[in-house]
Amino acid sequence: MTKPGDQLKVVVVGAGFAGLTAAIECRVRGASVMVLESSSSRRQLGDIISFGSNSGRIFKSWPGVEAALDAICHHSSGLDFRSYDDEFLCRQTWGAEAEWGKRFNGHRGEIHEIVWNHALSIGVEIKLGNKVSEYFETDTEAGVVVNGESISADVVLAGDGVRSTARTIVLGFEDKPKSSGYAVYRAWFGTEKLKEDPLTAWLADPTIDHHVGWLGPDVHFLVATLQKGTACSWVLTHKDDADVEESWSAPGYINEAVAAVSDWAPVVHSIIRATPESTLVDWKLVFRDPLPTWISPKRRITLIGDAAHPFLPTSIQGASQSMEDGVTAAVCLARAGKDNVPEALRVYEKIRYPRVLATQRTGVTNRDAWHKADWDFVRKNPESVKLPRLDWVLNFDARAHAEEVYGKMVEELRADSGWRPDSTL
């Protein structure tokens, strides 16, 4: 049976969640898809990553993926908030969101492996050790150069991360990431040492997944346990003005992490000191000013995911929005067909840009609500620390939305050929 994307040849650069989602969604619509990944192997890296219900529905639509994720993901009914001196503040539960869909939180590498395997199972070609050195486009095709070889397609979807080389062809110049003024210590490890300390043994309970957030002036510390009490992950966000031009991720040091919360409760220190130093990463949070556009001059190449729009972790939406990008791009390409790729990419940008921009801003507002809190006010009004759970962000079906508005967006763009995204919205 003919599919809408038949005859379309797609090259995806980067096998992160944006790239794999785009590849899967293009493939199920009939396209021939090649994913080029610079790493020489699929690496089981990372720590905890969160997918809201808006991306959870995408996982659920892929046969077998939901069940595979359930086996390895975090399952808790809520998040306990405590002050830096370990006073209980409140508990935020997720029951009211059940009708919006399912959330998935777990180890980035383990979730990535499940998505990777699903992509392979449906016929996506993934080529490892293929670092793209150049991008090119004409009026009729786009492509990349890998190890001196040119690879051409109808369209290139560039999901090559926060240091994307594709941004240069889109912008016409190289822009550099900027420091956000914050960094995160991150870790994932087994709970053996936690079990040995009376202050932390409760975290290794095999019958319950814990999720606890300790908040203090300009610092927050989030801890999650999962996989029947055998795994623990934590993130500690703190002020940091280090230069990020050359590197944004480096090995972390336990004593430095403890120093960032030096006057905090002993339980926090114990959790950090139970962490094998080899698992600790010091991750500088970078951002970029919103780009004037995500698509190349001839409209054959588009940025997706972090390459287009890095998110602060406090948005809890970076991975989810990357997946929404992939789904939306695939829908637009299938609707437009091989002969109308430039129009498809313009529609993709018009659909996604304002939503992404608005969602990105929640990362700053969420962070500041915790880091800039008036603690006299918080102790009197503990519910004030709860995370905003926004219906327009989480109760959203990117696939259905793109299908619904595609025709309208085409009409608007044809009526206004000079339309450009507005980064001031």
Side-chain angles (χ1 to χ4, degrees):
M1 188 175 82
T2 302
K3 293 184 178 181
D6 281 354
Q7 309 304 316
L8 190 68
K9 186 176 180 182
V10 180
V11 164
V12 178
V13 180
F17 287 104
L20 288 179
T21 302
I24 290 167
E25 292 288 317
C26 285
R27 181 66 190 140
V28 298
R29 289 167 176 79
S32 169
V33 185
M34 177 189 294
V35 177
L36 303 174
E37 169 57 43
S38 61
S39 298
S40 58
S41 62
R42 197 207 68 79
R43 296 176 294 173
Q44 195 84 341
L45 299 178
D47 46 69
I48 202 157
I49 189 170
S50 297
F51 294 88
S53 51
N54 53 316
S55 55
R57 69 180 64 224
I58 300 171
F59 285 139
K60 290 183 68 175
S61 72
W62 296 339
V65 168
E66 179 184 7
L69 291 175
D70 280 343
I72 55 97
C73 278
H74 172 87
H75 302 281
S76 68
S77 60
L79 169 58
D80 291 325
F81 287 105
R82 307 187 74 89
S83 65
Y84 56 93
D85 54 4
D86 205 33
E87 176 188 353
F88 177 77
L89 298 173
C90 65
R91 178 172 176 80
Q92 182 167 8
T93 58
W94 320 119
E97 301 172 21
E99 64 183 35
W100 296 352
K102 192 169 182 176
R103 300 155 40 250
F104 294 92
N105 304 312
H107 189 284
R108 183 194 187 280
E110 294 175 357
I111 294 175
H112 184 261
E113 182 178 27
I114 290 167
V115 176
W116 175 286
N117 289 339
H118 179 66
L120 291 175
S121 75
I122 63 169
V124 172
E125 181 182 10
I126 304 177
K127 301 185 74 171
L128 291 163
N130 279 251
K131 183 173 178 58
V132 170
S133 58
E134 296 178 43
Y135 290 79
F136 63 86
E137 64 177 344
T138 68
D139 289 333
T140 58
E141 66 178 11
V144 297
V145 177
V146 177
N147 300 325
E149 177 191 355
S150 295
I151 301 172
S152 298
D154 297 305
V155 61
V156 174
L157 306 179
D160 50 349
V162 69
R163 295 203 166 209
S164 168
T165 56
R167 296 169 74 99
T168 303
I169 192 171
V170 168
L171 296 176
F173 62 90
E174 182 180 0
D175 72 325
K176 294 184 180 296
K178 302 175 182 179
S179 171
S180 68
Y182 288 85
V184 179
Y185 291 110
R186 312 181 64 108
W188 176 288
F189 57 101
T191 56
E192 293 81 5
K193 289 291 184 183
L194 294 175
K195 295 175 185 177
E196 296 173 3
D197 187 335
L199 284 176
T200 59
W202 57 277
L203 285 167
D205 185 341
T207 66
I208 186 171
D209 288 352
H210 291 283
H211 197 190
V212 186
W214 283 268
L215 311 180
D218 239 348
V219 181
H220 72 266
F221 181 66
L222 297 175
V223 178
T225 60
L226 61 166
Q227 298 177 4
K228 297 183 178 180
T230 62
C232 178
S233 182
W234 59 260
V235 294
L236 193 166
T237 302
H238 60 101
K239 289 287 289 181
D240 187 289
D241 294 315
D243 178 38
V244 295
E245 184 172 342
E246 294 303 324
S247 176
W248 69 95
S249 182
Y253 299 98
I254 296 297
N255 287 339
E256 291 180 5
V258 171
V261 288
S262 58
D263 58 348
W264 283 39
V267 63
V268 173
H269 295 177
S270 291
I271 294 169
I272 296 172
R273 293 202 180 279
T275 307
E277 193 162 71
S278 61
T279 71
L280 186 60
V281 174
D282 182 8
W283 183 36
K284 311 302 182 186
L285 297 181
V286 301
F287 78 98
R288 295 180 188 266
D289 293 327
L291 297 179
T293 182
W294 298 344
I295 58 179
S296 58
K298 294 184 181 294
R299 299 167 183 166
R300 290 273 172 180
I301 302 169
T302 188
L303 305 172
I304 59 175
D306 281 351
H309 45 70
F311 271 69
L312 292 174
T314 39
S315 71
I316 326 174
Q317 273 291 304
S320 292
Q321 292 300 314
S322 291
M323 291 184 69
E324 286 191 12
D325 283 356
V327 167
T328 304
V331 169
C332 292
L333 287 166
R335 290 288 295 268
K338 182 182 177 74
D339 295 333
N340 292 297
V341 167
E343 185 169 79
L345 295 193
R346 291 196 76 209
V347 173
Y348 156 75
E349 182 179 53
K350 188 171 175 62
I351 292 173
R352 293 292 300 149
Y353 194 99
R355 175 170 168 80
V356 165
L357 194 63
T359 311
Q360 273 182 303
R361 289 175 176 151
T362 66
V364 176
T365 55
N366 288 349
R367 182 195 66 201
D368 288 351
W370 288 349
H371 285 231
K372 310 299 183 187
D374 177 334
W375 275 91
D376 288 335
F377 178 83
V378 168
R379 292 188 195 279
K380 294 174 184 175
N381 303 275
E383 301 277 321
S384 65
V385 302
K386 287 185 176 181
L387 285 164
R389 305 296 286 176
L390 303 171
D391 176 279
W392 65 269
V393 174
L394 297 167
N395 189 19
F396 186 79
D397 186 331
R399 186 185 292 117
H401 177 72
E403 292 282 8
E404 179 184 352
V405 304
Y406 183 84
K408 178 186 176 185
M409 296 294 103
V410 168
E411 290 178 7
E412 291 182 4
L413 287 169
R414 290 177 179 174
D416 181 8
S417 60
W419 179 87
R420 303 280 283 184
D422 184 354
S423 64
T424 65
L425 288 173

